[in-house]
Amino acid sequence: MAQSDTYLLSPGDKIKVTVFNEPDLTGEFQINHAGDVAFPLIGTVPAAGLSVAEFQKQLLRRLRNGYVRNARVSIEVASYRPFNVFGEV
């Protein structure tokens, strides 16, 4: 099962973004309650409801639009949103 194809990002998830050769743009980012990621240079990027691969494509497109020439981006989920289980186990 490929994480990027099946898991949909949601508020509370923390993602690790690596922009190769751009240490100022590399780091961990939390998806806020509105479902967005505040990213340096490009501002708010919608993430909720997207797979990791879909979010990567969106971020890559925005970075290449006048900010980072030939950007290469890698994204992985650093920690998953908390969830509660109610009932007896």
Side-chain angles (χ1 to χ4, degrees), residues 3 6-17 28-38 47-52 55 75-83:
Q3 166 188 313
T6 57
Y7 184 77
L8 298 182
L9 298 170
S10 187
D13 287 336
K14 187 180 285 187
I15 56 175
K16 181 180 179 187
V17 178
E28 290 189 359
F29 301 89
Q30 180 121 12
I31 300 173
N32 66 22
H33 293 302
D36 302 324
V37 172
L50 299 177
S51 69
V52 173
F55 180 72
I75 298 176
E76 61 185 81
V77 177
S79 64
Y80 296 93
R81 64 188 170 272
F83 65 93

Side-chain angles (χ1 to χ4, degrees), residues 19-20 22 63-72:
V19 182
F20 296 96
E22 296 291 338
L63 283 171
R64 286 180 175 168
N65 190 17
Y67 295 101
V68 180
R69 186 182 303 196
N70 299 322
R72 290 187 309 143

